Amino acid sequence: MKLVRYGRPGKEKPGLFDEEGRLRDLSGVVADIDASLLSDKALRKLAKIDYKTLPLVRGTPRLGVPIKGVGKFIGIGLNYADHAAETGATPPLEPIVFMKAVTCLSGPDDPVMLPQGAKKTDWEVELGVVIGTRAQYVTEEDALNYVAGYCVVNDVSERSFQLERGPQWDKGKGCDTFGPVGPWLVTRDEVIDVQRLDLYLELNGKRMQTGCTETMIFTVAQIVSYLSRFMTLEPGDIIATGTPPGVGMARSPQRFLKKGDTLRLGIAGLGEQQQDVIAYAST
């Protein structure tokens, strides 16, 4: 299934895209797409519904983050061998873990806002992993059974905050709008091999990133198992699993986002995002 939440920010309703690519309303069946809906049992029950009986949604409403109430937004750094090579970094011996503030979450096509003082805002297309079952000390062999599904994430990063203002990456990762997620949550059963998914990102129509999850240093199963040793993973937690080569920081000359830029990014089978880059505006 391709589960979505659609509507104005803070007023999203649950839905799904059917086999013909049409948006259907799920609000008569479930209250929302949240932690209570992400277990294997709940998803199997939902999958038995005849989608043709669900109301069609007219027009093209805004899509929000496909999961309500995300508890943790976890990032994994330097997790593609070819990305590590382009940055000149030594491939890590263990996953590099950082946190993205949940306040940075935004819909897949919402604007990316440059924060105050931004100098080096960068793009990073990533595979997002959504936890479906509480995970503590799980083995690599069982790890994928704790996953509800997958999604596209843009791990937007302000490199000057991340790398030039102390050793902690979090400051450059959690600015408002720095976590577009979606368009869909694609349930685990629809992804045949999560380690063979193609990723791409375009800036103003020019291809910047091309990659495949097969070049991950640590697989999805390894990441879920590893994280579960250090923190309890709860249903609805999102893990951004690293980015392939082509980020602005590693280009020569370097290229960072500026007002008026447009990003287009996606992952095979998981949908596509598009964001306009805007300047910071106080609320």
Side-chain angles (χ1 to χ4, degrees):
M1 292 179 290
K2 294 181 174 67
L3 301 175
V4 299
R5 299 175 66 247
Y6 66 95
R8 291 179 294 131
K11 302 290 184 181
E12 293 92 346
K13 299 171 66 175
L16 62 77
F17 276 92
D18 64 22
E19 294 175 357
E20 288 77 40
R22 297 175 297 183
L23 177 58
R24 291 182 179 270
D25 181 15
L26 267 175
S27 60
V29 180
V30 296
D32 212 332
I33 297 172
D34 57 17
S36 67
L37 194 70
L38 298 179
S39 69
D40 285 352
K41 181 179 179 180
L43 290 173
R44 282 195 299 267
K45 182 178 179 181
L46 187 62
K48 292 179 181 178
I49 296 171
D50 182 0
Y51 70 84
K52 294 179 181 178
T53 65
L54 300 172
L56 285 168
V57 178
R58 295 181 180 180
T60 54
R62 168 191 173 271
L63 298 180
V65 179
I67 309 101
K68 179 182 180 181
V70 175
K72 292 191 288 296
F73 194 2
I74 307 164
I76 304 297
L78 294 175
N79 192 37
Y80 282 69
D82 37 9
H83 172 53
E86 75 169 350
T87 63
T90 301
L93 298 178
E94 294 192 28
I96 296 172
V97 180
F98 60 89
M99 306 298 287
K100 288 179 73 76
V102 293
T103 49
C104 83
L105 288 163
S106 60
D109 300 327
D110 292 345
V112 167
M113 183 174 65
L114 301 174
Q116 285 188 342
K119 299 177 182 177
K120 300 179 179 181
T121 305
D122 209 344
W123 56 82
E124 297 186 64
V125 59
E126 306 204 4
L127 170 68
V129 178
V130 179
I131 298 299
T133 303
R134 196 170 201 246
Q136 296 173 302
Y137 299 103
V138 301
T139 65
E140 289 180 25
E141 292 73 20
D142 291 336
L144 295 186
N145 294 327
Y146 292 80
V147 172
Y150 304 97
C151 56
V152 182
V153 172
N154 188 357
D155 176 21
V156 185
S157 308
E158 171 51 42
R159 302 299 190 187
S160 66
F161 297 173
Q162 176 190 354
L163 302 173
E164 299 169 16
R165 302 185 66 175
Q168 297 170 338
W169 287 14
D170 301 39
K171 287 180 287 188
K173 295 288 189 173
C175 302
D176 291 351
T177 76
F178 273 24
V181 176
W184 317 307
L185 166 60
V186 179
T187 51
R188 187 179 78 239
D189 60 296
E190 291 201 7
V191 178
I192 296 173
D193 186 351
V194 73
Q195 298 305 149
R196 290 195 178 271
L197 298 178
D198 293 326
L199 307 86
Y200 62 90
L201 181 144
E202 297 174 358
L203 173 65
N204 300 331
K206 180 181 178 181
R207 180 65 67 94
M208 307 300 275
Q209 287 188 277
T210 302
C212 182
T213 55
E214 67 182 352
T215 68
M216 281 183 174
I217 297 170
F218 304 103
T219 66
V220 172
Q222 288 172 326
I223 290 167
V224 172
S225 174
Y226 181 86
L227 290 175
S228 76
R229 302 177 205 169
F230 302 101
M231 65 188 82
T232 298
L233 300 175
E234 298 282 4
D237 287 350
I238 300 174
I239 307 166
T241 56
T243 198
V247 298
M249 177 180 66
R251 306 186 77 83
S252 182
Q254 292 182 327
R255 169 64 158 97
F256 297 113
L257 294 174
K258 62 182 185 297
K259 180 182 176 181
D261 283 340
T262 298
L263 293 165
R264 179 173 170 265
L265 57 145
I267 301 176
L270 303 186
E272 185 175 271
Q273 303 182 355
Q274 183 164 312
Q275 296 115 26
D276 294 327
V277 180
I278 63 174
Y280 172 80
S282 60
T283 54

